Amino acid sequence: MRHVTRLSALLALGLVSQSPVLLANNLVFCSEGSPAGFDTAQYTSATDNDAAEPIYNRLVEFERGGTAVHPALATRWEVSDDGLRYTFHLREGVKFHSNKAFKPGRDFNADDVLFTFNRMLDKGHPFRQAYPTEFPYFISMGLDKNIAHVEKIDPLTVVFTLNTVDAAFIQNLAMSFASILSAEYAEHLMASARPSDINQQPIGTGPFVFQRYQKDSQIRYKGNKDYWAPDEVKIDNLVFSINIDPSVRIQKLRRNECQVTLHPRPADLPALKADRSLQVLQQPGFNLGYIAYNTQHPPFDRLEVRQAMDMAVNKKAILQAVYQDSGQLAVNAMPPTQWSYDESLKDAPYDPEKARQLLLQAGVKPGTEVTLWAMPVQRPYNPNAKLMAEMLQADWNKLGFKVRIVSYEWGEYLKRMKSGEHDIALIGWTGDNGDPDNWLGTLYSCDAIGSNNYSLWCDPQYDSLVKQAKQVTDQAQRSALYQQAQQRLKQQVPITPVAHSTVNQPLSVKVSGFKVSPFGRNDFSGVRVD
């Protein structure tokens, strides 16, 4: 019966013919949200990055399941003695994908690297003029200011010149926003007056070729038979089956209608681990779930108000109810597994009575209305934002606030938060590259306002420390600066850290080669279904 159910499901998806012989090379991934698009430079959420991951490569990439960087579209690179010039030697013979409207006339070369980065660097770039968009990650890390220029030395050699030393530069280039696009495809789209297709009909060099996307339903890809690393493509057809409800994802996994899923609810884990048809991969989460106070909205522009809100958060109760056995109490703005973590930091004691006194002294009137935004999606760093919001609402109502819970569709939620519409928001982060700047710069710096700094907090003292740390190559010196920055951030309370979670990834026992990424990526290179 299990075999019949699986075959029926795949036939319904149109993945296979009547012959069951083809089943072994198809994989269905129960994903949890609809991507806004596939142009990774535009987006910062895991939903968008996951959907684009099969399609693209970058100059350098993280090893599967790890944080080390290895060659990808660049086979090697050199860094000048002053740390300002990076010379990349490009891989020869790499093919771009095709679709019904476009067939590449050449292999990947330096022109594609120049197009990818110059579009983000130059506001007057012709393609950017034709298809205006923002590049939040690129800007929040200050790369738009720090990359002086990108030069083509020859068809297979490119040089990046920086204005200042960036100790995290190579790690940054392994991230999704740096996925290499086809300059030839961009020219074709410009000539066809369809530049936005770069976001909806993507062309890359990656292990899977985009086929089609139906919002709130599915995304289809096929294995790239011309992939430059052929041993990494072991799946003929890859389907993202989009299911917002975690219980639906688990049901589909148990019925073998999908073979991999993500973000199970903590309450579901015992049954999943007991199911002999499944395996649950587990590792400590490189993540943080936190509360962001909009420091540009009164009364949260006042330190004593943020301190009051912080000390009224009953973290232990949240940890027990929301995370159950899958969470660790957080006191810092990044996880303890991140090098440079300051172990000396402590939370203010949980003290609702003192919080009430602070609010009274600050002149906050009882009945003041505030909005608390709750994420509409599950993440390992927050497996149940609705429940957490309800618990915070009850705690803060006791302080005299009138708290109203707000939520939107995930893409809209992020968009509105970036523009600062919220008072308080539940959000979180899974590290992207293993460098402290990916936390302390990307999430809390002045440059990150309008991108990932959901507190809209800009503190010159903090910002100076983070920028200094990024321009030093000695790790001990960087750690000392980052620890000072962590202490300043803890004093100023733009956020309340709540928890770090354990990541649990359920999948069928028939799946082999899948590795849990510390960065929360779902990568199907090298994965097969037996």
Side-chain angles (χ1 to χ4, degrees), residues 32 243-252 261-265 268 378 383:
E32 50 72 60
N243 304 274
I244 295 173
D245 188 335
S247 63
V248 172
R249 296 198 297 269
I250 293 304
Q251 288 168 12
K252 288 192 170 187
T261 188
L262 74 177
H263 309 329
R265 296 173 302 189
D268 291 331
Q378 267 191 305

Side-chain angles (χ1 to χ4, degrees), residues 276-294:
R276 292 187 177 183
S277 69
L278 303 178
Q279 52 182 319
V280 180
L281 306 182
Q282 188 177 72
Q283 70 178 35
F286 191 54
N287 60 37
L288 169 69
Y290 64 94
I291 303 163
Y293 306 106
N294 186 341

Side-chain angles (χ1 to χ4, degrees), residues 27-151:
L27 187 145
V28 180
F29 170 53
C30 277
S31 64
E32 50 72 60
S34 294
F38 300 87
D39 179 10
T40 58
Q42 294 188 44
Y43 307 112
T44 61
S45 87
T47 300
D48 301 308
N49 289 339
D50 258 3
E53 184 69 20
I55 303 167
Y56 297 111
N57 293 120
R58 293 158 286 279
L59 291 176
V60 296
E61 294 181 353
F62 296 109
E63 64 180 359
R64 289 195 305 119
T67 61
V69 172
H70 61 71
L73 291 181
T75 57
R76 59 190 174 88
W77 58 91
E78 296 104 29
V79 185
S80 62
D81 291 342
D82 62 6
L84 297 178
R85 281 173 57 88
Y86 288 73
T87 302
F88 292 92
H89 303 276
L90 307 182
R91 191 175 298 276
E92 192 172 359
V94 175
K95 312 291 183 188
F96 276 101
H97 305 158
S98 301
N99 61 26
K100 290 180 181 178
F102 172 75
K103 300 253 184 284
R106 60 166 176 80
D107 291 347
F108 157 75
N109 66 27
D111 292 332
D112 304 305
V113 180
L114 264 61
F115 167 73
T116 298
F117 286 92
N118 284 335
R119 180 178 70 127
M120 294 187 281
L121 282 168
D122 180 8
K123 291 183 178 180
H125 190 280
F127 194 88
R128 189 162 169 179
Q129 293 292 305
Y131 177 49
T133 187
E134 295 301 320
F135 306 104
Y137 224 139
F138 189 74
I139 291 169
S140 70
M141 292 191 296
L143 291 173
D144 59 323
K145 298 183 179 71
N146 198 30
I147 297 177
H149 49 83
V150 187
E151 320 169 62

Side-chain angles (χ1 to χ4, degrees), residues 38 80 150 213 315 350-351 429:
F38 300 87
S80 62
V150 187
Y213 168 39
K315 291 188 187 180
Y350 171 61
D351 194 339
W429 191 253

Side-chain angles (χ1 to χ4, degrees), residues 266-422:
D268 291 331
L269 287 171
L272 290 172
K273 291 176 180 178
D275 190 329
R276 292 187 177 183
S277 69
L278 303 178
Q279 52 182 319
V280 180
L281 306 182
Q282 188 177 72
Q283 70 178 35
F286 191 54
N287 60 37
L288 169 69
Y290 64 94
I291 303 163
Y293 306 106
N294 186 341
T295 60
Q296 295 186 13
H297 274 200
F300 307 108
D301 55 343
R302 301 182 64 179
L303 174 59
E304 58 267 44
V305 174
R306 301 195 300 272
Q307 289 172 328
M309 305 300 280
D310 177 78
M311 66 179 60
V313 174
N314 190 341
K315 291 188 187 180
K316 289 183 178 178
I318 290 172
L319 208 65
Q320 185 174 8
V322 176
Y323 294 85
Q324 299 179 27
D325 293 327
S326 299
Q328 171 189 352
L329 190 141
V331 299
N332 201 344
M334 59 186 189
T337 48
Q338 173 64 68
W339 64 265
S340 82
Y341 181 90
D342 188 344
E343 296 183 0
S344 71
L345 295 181
K346 306 294 180 190
D347 270 341
Y350 171 61
D351 194 339
E353 183 53 42
K354 186 175 179 182
R356 276 190 286 270
Q357 293 172 11
L358 277 174
L359 292 173
L360 195 64
Q361 292 166 15
V364 178
K365 295 179 181 179
T368 296
E369 295 186 6
V370 299
T371 58
L372 169 59
W373 289 33
M375 296 159 45
V377 296
Q378 267 191 305
R379 288 288 183 270
Y381 58 69
N382 192 333
N384 193 335
K386 183 176 182 291
L387 176 58
M388 187 187 294
E390 290 168 349
M391 295 176 73
L392 291 170
Q393 181 186 46
D395 286 341
W396 289 335
N397 280 348
K398 292 174 185 175
L399 300 183
F401 284 102
K402 189 175 180 180
V403 179
R404 179 168 60 89
I405 297 174
V406 173
S407 194
Y408 296 93
E409 180 271 329
W410 185 225
E412 190 70 12
Y413 185 90
L414 294 175
K415 179 182 175 182
R416 287 173 178 262
M417 278 206 306
K418 286 172 183 176
S419 65
E421 293 184 24
H422 60 293

Side-chain angles (χ1 to χ4, degrees), residues 401-509:
F401 284 102
K402 189 175 180 180
V403 179
R404 179 168 60 89
I405 297 174
V406 173
S407 194
Y408 296 93
E409 180 271 329
W410 185 225
E412 190 70 12
Y413 185 90
L414 294 175
K415 179 182 175 182
R416 287 173 178 262
M417 278 206 306
K418 286 172 183 176
S419 65
E421 293 184 24
H422 60 293
D423 290 327
I424 311 169
L426 300 183
I427 193 63
W429 191 253
T430 295
D432 280 323
N433 66 15
D435 193 273
D437 183 71
N438 187 240
W439 299 90
L440 302 179
T442 298
L443 300 183
Y444 317 114
S445 69
C446 298
D447 285 341
I449 291 176
S451 176
N452 298 308
N453 183 345
Y454 298 114
S455 297
L456 283 72
W457 178 65
C458 181
D459 182 85
Q461 182 179 333
Y462 172 88
D463 226 51
S464 174
L465 290 165
V466 170
K467 285 180 177 174
Q468 286 179 60
K470 199 175 179 183
Q471 295 172 19
V472 174
T473 55
D474 180 79
Q475 190 171 109
Q477 293 179 41
R478 294 187 75 202
S479 288
L481 290 164
Y482 282 133
Q483 287 178 2
Q484 292 178 55
Q486 290 165 64
Q487 291 161 14
R488 177 66 179 173
L489 188 146
K490 190 70 174 175
Q491 292 163 5
Q492 293 299 303
V493 203
I495 68 164
T496 292
V498 178
H500 313 290
S501 77
T502 300
V503 174
N504 293 280
Q505 185 100 36
L507 59 159
S508 167
V509 293

